[in-house]
Amino acid sequence: MGGNSQRLRIEVLGPLRAWRDGEPLALGPVRRQTVLAALLLREGAVVSHEHLLDGVWGADPPASGTKVLASHVNPLRRTLDRAGTRHTESVIRSGKGWYRFVLDDVRLDLTDLAEVGDRALRTKASGDLAGGAGQLTDALALFQGEPLAHLSGPFAAAERERLLERRRTLRLARLSCLVDLGRYGDALDDLARLPGSDRYDESMLALRMRALYGCERQAEALHAYEDMRRRLADELGVDPGEELRRVYEAVLRQDDGTLLGSTADRQVVVPQPLAPRRPVHQLPGDTGQLVGREEELAVLTGPAPDDAVSVVAVDGPAGVGKTALVVRAAHRIRDRYPDGCLFVDLHAHSRERGRPAPERVLRRLLRSLGADGSEVPDDLDDLITAWRAVTSSLRLLLVLDDAADTRQIRPLLPAGPGSRVIVTGRRRLAGLDADRRVTLETLGPGEAASLLRHIVGRERTDQEPEATRELVRLCAGLPLALRIAGTRLQTRPAWTLAYLVERMADDEGRLGELSAGDRSVEAAFRLSYDQLPPEQRRGFRTLGLAPTVEFDVRTPAAMLGRSARDAERILESLVDTSLLQQPRPGRYRLHDLVRVHARRLAEAAPGEAGPAREAALRLYLDAARVASDWGAGGYPTGPGPSGTSFTGWREAAVWLDEAGGELVDVIAHAVASGETDHACWIAEALTDHFVGRARLHECQAALETALPYADTASDRRMAPALHNCLGYTLTHRARFPEACRHLRTALVLGRERGEPHEEGRALVGLGAMTGLGAMTGLGATVGLGATVGPGATAGPGALGPDAGQVEGGVSVLVAGRELAERYEDHWLVAMASFALGFVRHRQGRDEEALACFRDAHTRGRAIGRPRALSRALTSNLDLHLYLDPSAARVLFRRVADLIQRTGDVLLHTLTLARLGTAEHNAGNLDAAAEVFRRALAQHGTPGPLDDPDHDRREMDLRCRLGRAYRAAGRTAEAREQFRVALSVPGADRYPKEHKQAVQGLAATEEPVRTG
């Protein structure tokens, strides 16, 4: 980390950072740091407001003029000064129109650089090349990356250029020492690590050619010169300079004296054991912008055993911040490792630089610990032995960043007890014996917003809170994406956050905008993808076409045309590479931005994408049809049964349940993909599943997503079918006028298009609504799968029964049932008999009602679906509850268990209510209370959004439970239930239940005799 415990320390040879008494200080957003640098690097000189504005903002000064400076200087004073410091004693002094940074009690890393660098150059000039090389190494170690990294403005740019030139001078001096010492391999290793910006540096190339020649690689030296000559001519239109031409000619002549110096001039390096040395610290700079990683840091910085080497593995997808995390952790614990902190980038995912061979890495590590290049062996086994021998007595911290696999790591593990190795990689290194493992996930919304605010500045994010939230969502919590987006906003002050959000609205724009300089989200993902074997690459592409964000192994197996076992193997391999996430066992998902990348790859191969997309949609269609009461073969049009892997309705229903709220997205995905037939078929087939689970809002959303495209589908039955399904759904939602409109439309379209199945369904729905509506005023849920039972009363505003209207509804019901019988639609016949039985019971014609319910029961058994059967049984038992209570109680228990297995939440709740009444009537008050409590617990599952009778039913259940408690002498508990019933929102809208609760509450105020 750095910092003098007695002084303020500031570093600029990397990201701008500061410490007071050894504690890091938060310097604020980038613009504020730029202001600090512009004051700090003037060496204590007075800086006018105008010069400061010019240095920080350049040609685009802020509209507020010099006033903005105080908004940055005052927070800097609060941060840098000790508490209670007066402005006149601050490190930042001010007067009229000027500021000055006082350096008296400040230690700068620039001061260290001047001292160490100048001493190193003097040592080299004196002829002590070995001493000079070591001191130059120490000087270069003070650089923690690019000087003044991320700071903007003309002043920071000029200072950065000056400091980079200083670093170049020191590098050239050190490389010259190494070549003159005959340490050619060391020089070449260092030259290989130089950035691409040095590709035009002729002095660097001259030293490289000399080192290559010294390693007896004359041909490579000549090729290197020719590459530079051609590059200079093609790109700059110039020839190599005199120094480089002189080296080239010497290589041609094999002039050892010019290239290597005379034997007398060269210093002979005598092998020596490792001498006591200053600890080496090679950690990169800590950027100070790590957000939301406290738990992971605690794992990485926790205590380690003293008697063994501790290994910690960190994995995660590209751009998630693995390197930033381990660098922060390493800085926090570096004091525990007195013999040094080493950092090696293993370049597993680098296009420009291939993975370094283990021999090269080991040679570098040994030299870092003081081994002379001439003493380092060449053979890998000998290198491993030497590394272990050298480290056996040392306590080291070794960071191995961006590892490809376990084989790359094992030779590099040190041997000293108490040492620690932190490894990062996109792949999960299962073969590595790690003491701890950290899988780094993306940031949550709050943490992501904090990171964006830190980069962009609070002023801009707070002005656009909605755009900030949307930008965070589009970046999907990926730190790399957030940093790139923040950088684009930093460098484009005229852009608003909303403007950037608009540019990222589609997939193309989203990934296109997440690119800045040499950093790109898509490029990072592509590097991971390119390293996959062909089978995994195809699997990854295919997952981009999955219709849901989360999925199990069935979907990719269908899309790939592979067995579930093969598909699982591919998925798990992608999890190991961090391209795929596994939120819980057996469930997988792609990160949002990774999914966009995968989809783009898939769409580039249309011949592969089309069949995969259709296979996924077919899987959902099969599951929905198998799970419905119609059964896979009960649909008159669309694909026939496909021999799906679902063994029965229950397995299919459970699979659909696991998709949760994403089932509607499947239909939207089909529509967006142009698969309108599949969109309509799936929406129709899911209706029964949704209604059975009281997910009526989702059901309506699914149908309304598909309906606008029904007329473009090749299956002409779809338009009337979806109107029928909407009528069915809206009836359950007690939205009767809308339901009638859809059913009438379905009837007209069914007749026009010659679709008798849809005509029959429309007739049954309209008949049920007409017949029961005339008797209830549509005050309770009616229609197919109606929940009006014996003993129920009309809702508020109910009309008296109109005999003519009732019989009109009956005749429509009968017509629909006859049409269904003609086409052997057992499900529709059962629903028609079911509704007709309710009408006859309401008319007091119980024998006819029983006959209808028995017919529905028979049809339900023929269908073989528990839900169809349970509806009919419940209706039969309703009548038995009044005609034969003792028999009804036993049967109700059986039916309740049957319904619970179907997952029909609403019907199960109603059945428990009836069972509780039967137990109460039989005098089993404790049993009745227990059943009513179960019913109330079950009642909370479907929300009010999907259940129009939710509040009324809660009042009814609480009144029943209250009466059972009162009859059992549990007065206080009874009183509480009646009170809660009256506190239900809008309780006075339900006169019957309201009256029961008021009467019950009054009754509990008086002594109740039991026995």
Side-chain angles (χ1 to χ4, degrees):
M1 189 159 49
N4 186 310
S5 63
Q6 303 302 319
R7 310 172 72 176
L8 177 65
R9 178 172 175 81
I10 302 179
E11 294 183 354
V12 297
L13 298 175
L16 184 62
R17 299 178 300 165
W19 292 265
R20 166 74 71 184
D21 297 338
E23 292 297 322
L25 304 176
L27 298 178
V30 170
R31 190 75 75 181
R32 186 167 300 153
Q33 294 182 36
T34 308
V35 170
L36 172 60
L39 291 169
L40 178 70
L41 299 182
R42 305 277 185 165
E43 299 181 351
V46 169
V47 186
S48 70
H49 290 176
E50 289 73 17
H51 283 144
L52 195 54
L53 286 171
D54 290 343
V56 175
W57 280 272
D60 188 24
S64 57
T66 59
K67 293 180 181 178
V68 75
L69 293 175
S71 71
H72 291 298
V73 170
N74 290 334
L76 286 172
R77 283 170 168 162
R78 289 193 294 270
T79 299
L80 298 173
D81 294 336
R82 295 188 185 277
T85 301
R86 295 193 298 271
H87 278 195
T88 55
E89 298 175 352
S90 171
V91 292
I92 303 178
R93 307 284 170 84
S94 60
K96 187 174 182 179
W98 59 266
Y99 290 105
R100 181 169 72 92
F101 197 100
V102 179
L103 295 169
D104 295 349
D105 294 317
V106 179
R107 181 70 181 182
L108 283 176
D109 59 352
L110 277 181
T111 306
D112 297 339
L113 180 66
E115 294 175 358
V116 178
D118 290 349
R119 182 171 62 250
L121 293 174
R122 287 195 301 271
T123 302
K124 176 179 181 294
S126 71
D128 181 3
L129 299 182
Q135 291 172 8
L136 287 163
T137 299
D138 293 341
L140 288 167
L142 292 171
F143 286 87
Q144 301 292 313
E146 183 181 67
L148 301 172
H150 312 304
L151 299 194
S152 57
F155 181 83
E159 286 296 301
R160 184 181 300 113
E161 192 63 32
R162 179 179 69 83
L163 294 171
L164 286 173
E165 182 59 30
R166 175 67 168 168
R167 184 170 67 177
R168 175 182 175 275
T169 300
L170 296 172
R171 277 177 172 168
L172 284 171
R174 181 177 182 277
L175 288 168
S176 176
C177 288
L178 294 178
V179 172
D180 289 341
L181 285 166
R183 293 168 56 180
Y184 309 120
D186 293 348
L188 289 174
D189 280 350
D190 284 0
L191 283 161
R193 291 196 294 271
L194 294 181
S197 58
D198 292 326
R199 59 201 302 261
Y200 297 109
D201 193 321
E202 295 184 36
S203 298
M204 291 284 186
L205 180 59
L207 287 168
R208 181 166 181 259
M209 291 175 66
R210 291 178 61 195
L212 287 169
Y213 183 84
C215 291
E216 299 182 357
R217 294 157 64 180
Q218 181 185 11
E220 287 184 55
L222 295 173
H223 284 311
Y225 174 84
E226 184 59 29
D227 288 343
M228 173 66 87
R229 186 197 65 75
R230 191 163 44 245
R231 191 160 57 246
L232 291 173
D234 293 345
E235 299 179 19
L236 302 179
V238 298
D239 294 324
E242 181 181 350
E243 176 192 11
L244 190 57
R245 288 200 308 271
R246 187 169 59 250
V247 172
Y248 170 66
E249 291 166 359
V251 173
L252 285 174
R253 296 193 309 269
Q254 299 185 23
D255 184 351
D256 289 359
T258 299
L259 297 171
L260 310 179
S262 66
T263 305
D265 291 338
R266 277 180 273 159
Q267 298 185 16
V268 179
V269 180
V270 180
Q272 295 289 336
L274 289 183
R277 41 172 290 282
R278 192 162 69 98
V280 176
H281 293 292
Q282 298 178 344
L283 298 177
D286 184 357
T287 63
Q289 296 180 5
L290 194 68
V291 176
R293 301 301 192 192
E294 287 75 14
E295 291 185 11
E296 293 86 351
L297 277 171
V299 173
L300 294 177
T301 59
D306 291 330
D307 57 351
V309 176
S310 170
V311 179
V312 184
V314 180
D315 63 79
V320 80
K322 299 180 293 294
T323 302
L325 172 68
V326 300
V327 168
R328 172 66 59 82
H331 276 284
R332 287 192 178 181
I333 61 176
R334 59 183 274 185
D335 293 342
R336 304 179 199 169
Y337 300 94
D339 296 309
C341 303
L342 308 176
F343 183 94
V344 180
D345 189 342
L346 296 175
H347 296 295
H349 300 89
S350 173
R351 289 193 188 279
E352 293 78 18
R353 303 173 60 181
R355 302 175 189 173
E359 294 90 339
R360 178 178 160 192
V361 177
L362 284 168
R363 279 196 292 270
R364 177 190 157 189
L365 288 170
L366 285 165
R367 288 197 307 274
S368 297
L369 295 181
D372 195 285
S374 62
E375 299 177 324
V376 175
D378 294 324
D379 180 74
L380 177 59
D381 289 339
D382 291 342
L383 281 165
I384 294 172
T385 300
W387 170 243
R388 291 172 180 169
V390 166
T391 60
S392 62
S393 60
L394 302 179
R395 188 181 178 96
L396 296 170
L397 173 62
L398 173 61
V399 178
L400 301 175
D401 191 39
D402 196 19
D405 51 42
T406 305
R407 289 175 299 177
Q408 196 180 20
I409 297 165
R410 284 195 183 116
L412 311 180
L413 298 179
S419 293
R420 175 175 292 192
V421 181
I422 303 178
V423 182
T424 77
R426 299 183 189 180
R427 181 179 295 276
R428 292 182 177 175
L429 305 172
L432 182 67
D433 292 329
D435 303 295
R436 305 172 194 173
R437 294 183 184 273
V438 173
T439 295
L440 208 56
E441 305 290 352
T442 52
L443 298 174
E447 297 164 341
S450 295
L451 178 57
L452 189 64
R453 188 177 298 115
H454 179 91
I455 299 170
V456 178
R458 181 176 293 275
E459 297 88 347
R460 293 175 75 179
T461 56
D462 287 356
Q463 285 176 4
E464 299 182 82
E466 290 297 327
T468 298
R469 283 191 287 271
E470 181 61 13
L471 186 55
V472 163
R473 186 191 69 79
L474 289 171
C475 291
L478 189 71
L480 175 62
L482 290 160
R483 292 180 189 279
I484 292 174
T487 299
R488 290 182 75 76
L489 290 167
Q490 272 183 355
T491 57
R492 292 162 177 80
W495 282 20
T496 64
L497 275 74
Y499 178 68
L500 179 56
V501 166
E502 183 181 348
R503 292 173 65 93
M504 294 173 62
D506 56 26
D507 287 355
E508 189 75 27
R510 194 172 179 186
L511 288 179
E513 291 299 323
L514 294 178
S515 175
D518 60 353
R519 295 195 301 177
S520 164
V521 169
E522 187 162 28
F525 294 156
R526 186 69 192 231
L527 286 170
S528 294
Y529 169 79
D530 286 344
Q531 295 187 15
L532 299 175
E535 182 182 57
Q536 292 179 23
R537 284 204 297 270
R538 185 189 169 211
F540 177 72
R541 291 193 302 271
T542 301
L543 294 179
L545 302 170
T548 58
V549 173
E550 192 174 299
F551 44 84
D552 71 350
V553 72
R554 284 183 191 270
T555 303
M559 297 171 76
L560 292 167
R562 305 288 290 268
S563 69
R565 183 179 294 276
D566 285 347
E568 183 180 35
R569 177 174 51 78
I570 294 171
L571 293 176
E572 289 295 328
S573 68
L574 291 172
V575 170
D576 287 340
T577 63
S578 296
L579 282 169
L580 185 64
Q581 299 170 330
Q582 192 171 33
R584 59 185 188 276
R587 303 292 293 179
Y588 303 89
R589 61 171 292 152
L590 291 169
H591 178 273
D592 287 356
L593 292 174
V594 176
R595 187 169 63 254
V596 172
H597 177 57
R599 185 161 54 241
R600 283 159 61 98
L601 291 171
E603 289 169 351
E608 180 181 281
R613 184 183 288 113
E614 185 175 352
L617 295 174
R618 181 60 190 275
L619 179 67
Y620 278 90
L621 176 61
D622 286 349
R625 287 187 166 184
V626 168
S628 74
D629 280 352
W630 282 22
Y635 290 80
T637 58
S642 65
T644 175
S645 59
F646 296 107
T647 57
W649 71 269
R650 187 187 304 280
E651 185 182 9
V654 168
W655 188 76
L656 292 172
D657 285 336
E658 289 174 348
E662 292 196 76
L663 289 175
V664 178
D665 296 336
V666 175
I667 297 159
H669 176 83
V671 167
S673 303
E675 298 283 349
T676 53
D677 281 282
H678 273 95
C680 295
W681 290 329
I682 296 170
E684 176 195 32
L686 282 173
T687 299
D688 200 47
H689 176 80
F690 277 137
V691 172
R693 276 147 175 74
R695 293 163 61 181
L696 304 176
H697 183 74
E698 290 175 77
C699 189
Q700 183 177 344
L703 292 165
E704 289 176 345
T705 299
L707 184 58
Y709 303 91
D711 284 329
T712 66
S714 60
D715 188 345
R716 288 173 52 80
R717 186 181 67 85
M718 283 298 97
L722 295 186
H723 279 291
N724 265 326
C725 290
L726 266 171
Y728 178 48
T729 304
L730 290 166
T731 298
H732 279 79
R733 297 196 71 186
R735 294 166 62 171
F736 304 111
E738 294 175 68
C740 280
R741 285 197 296 273
H742 282 288
L743 291 171
R744 290 192 186 104
T745 301
L747 182 61
V748 172
L749 290 175
R751 286 171 174 170
E752 287 178 352
R753 301 187 180 190
E755 297 291 347
H757 291 86
E758 301 313 317
E759 180 184 352
R761 291 176 74 184
L763 286 170
V764 169
L766 287 167
M769 196 172 297
T770 303
L772 285 169
M775 308 185 76
T776 66
L778 300 181
T781 305
V782 297
L784 305 186
T787 57
V788 172
T793 61
L799 305 174
D802 182 325
Q805 192 175 358
V806 171
E807 288 305 319
V810 168
S811 65
V812 174
L813 264 173
V814 171
R817 185 170 68 171
E818 289 174 351
L819 193 58
E821 284 181 328
R822 194 182 313 159
Y823 289 96
E824 298 184 348
D825 189 339
H826 295 292
W827 179 85
L828 188 57
V829 173
M831 294 302 101
S833 296
F834 185 54
L836 187 58
F838 277 130
V839 175
R840 292 309 187 203
H841 170 65
R842 287 309 199 107
Q843 292 175 315
R845 297 157 66 172
D846 286 341
E847 290 301 322
E848 292 179 59
L850 276 174
C852 290
F853 290 149
R854 289 192 187 102
D855 180 62
H857 182 212
T858 301
R859 304 287 181 168
R861 292 183 64 181
I863 294 170
R865 288 296 199 276
R867 198 149 56 87
L869 183 60
S870 61
R871 286 172 177 157
L873 282 172
T874 303
S875 304
N876 276 294
L877 292 172
D878 276 337
L879 288 176
H880 282 297
L881 183 61
Y882 296 95
L883 302 176
D884 186 4
S886 60
R889 185 163 51 88
V890 177
L891 293 174
F892 261 129
R893 287 192 175 277
R894 295 178 184 173
V895 174
D897 291 340
L898 175 67
I899 295 172
Q900 187 175 21
R901 290 199 299 272
T902 70
D904 192 324
V905 176
L906 184 55
L907 191 58
H908 186 226
T909 302
L910 294 169
T911 304
L912 289 174
R914 293 161 178 155
L915 173 59
T917 299
E919 294 285 10
H920 189 157
N921 292 345
N924 301 321
L925 300 178
D926 288 341
E930 173 59 27
V931 173
F932 287 136
R933 284 194 295 269
R934 284 178 57 199
L936 276 168
Q938 184 71 55
H939 173 71
T941 305
L945 182 68
D946 281 340
D947 184 1
D949 276 347
H950 185 273
D951 294 336
R952 183 197 62 77
R953 191 172 297 109
E954 180 176 353
M955 292 181 70
D956 176 67
L957 288 170
R958 292 197 180 279
C959 287
R960 292 178 190 243
L961 178 57
R963 289 194 294 270
Y965 279 151
R966 188 165 67 89
R970 298 162 66 175
T971 306
E973 292 167 277
R975 186 183 304 118
E976 179 62 19
Q977 291 302 318
F978 293 127
R979 282 176 178 163
V980 174
L982 289 171
S983 69
V984 168
D988 54 356
R989 290 186 290 119
Y990 308 107
K992 175 188 171 184
E993 290 75 16
H994 189 275
K995 181 180 178 181
Q996 290 176 347
V998 169
Q999 291 175 342
L1001 190 61
T1004 59
E1005 299 297 334
E1006 304 169 2
V1008 179
R1009 259 187 334 186
T1010 60

